[in-house]
Amino acid sequence: MENNNKRGGWPITFIVKSTLWVGLIVSFPVMEDAYKKSTYLSQMGYALNTFLTASILLSVGRFILIALYNRRSAQHSVRGNFVLGINRVTVVLNAVFGIISLMIAFGINPKDFVTSMTIVAMAIAVTFREYITNMISGLILMFSDQFSVGDRIKVGEYNGKIVDITLANIVVKNDDDDIVLIPNNAAFTEKVVNKSVHQSNKLTVRFELPLQSAVFLEQLEADLKKLLKNHPEVSWNNEVMLKVIDIGKDYVKYKIEFIAINSTNKLHRQLENEVLVEVLKYQRNRV
């Protein structure tokens, strides 16, 4: 299903809906007498026809928009979550037409129902205001280029990689592989840093060691400099230093900063892994 969404292909559900719709259209003249005799059957047929017609039109519109977007993406470098946004809007509109169809099936005039439920609707809007604003914020994010699925962001105290954007939350996977759900409203009320928009060649690797290891700081720094100085993927300069960033009761947190030859995430992960492996070797030799 996901591949169909990305390519704008026709899912099986579209074929099923189209088949049902054609069968329903054919049944109207064939079963005309039955529809006239049974009010319930007539309402059900009209309701199903309303839903299927709207759903098929939405699917066709979704297909065309995604196809145009994919063509543009192939010609230009684009960011954003257009396909994700289109899919979410399609789901919402399908739900709306589904509710309208149910009203028709039970003999309720949707227009009269909405008019009579205005006060109740206002009360519901107030009650679910937070969710509604989250949903609107989510749609804005989906159709903007602020974030894309796969970007690394920091929102307040949380940071990690965006794995999905729903109508309620930005779904982020942090460095511990925990899933963090950040309300969409936070993107407009909190300070947000998108680390993937303008990637830098500068790489910072953070780690911590037991407090007793601080005695051998110079040796650790020498080992890391030796690794980086001879590394073909590192732009070496003599300003590389191992720095202490925090001291706890029984630990010391360090960081080392250096310049990679490019800003790709793959290279940065590789270099970070090599530095951390060197730190593990150092710690093992101290035990």
Side-chain angles (χ1 to χ4, degrees), residues 117-133:
M117 293 292 290
T118 301
I119 298 177
V120 177
M122 291 176 62
I124 293 174
V126 172
T127 304
F128 295 96
R129 179 180 57 185
E130 191 69 23
Y131 183 81
I132 293 172
T133 55

Side-chain angles (χ1 to χ4, degrees), residues 8 35 71 101 106 113 163 211 217 222 238 252 287:
Y35 281 114
R71 181 178 299 179
S101 298
F106 288 101
F113 179 81
V163 295
L211 187 60
L217 178 60
N238 293 323
V252 181
V287 176

Side-chain angles (χ1 to χ4, degrees), residues 56-82:
I56 290 171
L57 289 175
L58 287 171
S59 295
V60 172
R62 169 186 167 279
F63 173 82
I64 294 173
L65 288 173
I66 291 177
L68 292 173
Y69 175 82
N70 287 339
R71 181 178 299 179
R72 181 190 173 199
S73 299
Q75 297 175 350
H76 304 88
S77 176
V78 296
R79 302 184 74 256
N81 309 282
F82 184 82

Side-chain angles (χ1 to χ4, degrees), residues 162-173:
I162 299 177
V163 295
D164 195 10
I165 300 176
T166 71
L167 292 175
N169 305 295
I170 303 170
V171 184
V172 173
K173 179 183 286 188

Side-chain angles (χ1 to χ4, degrees), residues 193-213:
V193 179
N194 190 339
K195 300 179 180 179
S196 300
V197 175
H198 300 293
Q199 292 203 9
S200 170
N201 288 18
K202 185 177 180 180
L203 177 60
T204 302
V205 180
R206 295 177 172 83
F207 56 91
E208 66 177 58
L209 291 171
L211 187 60
Q212 58 267 27
S213 299

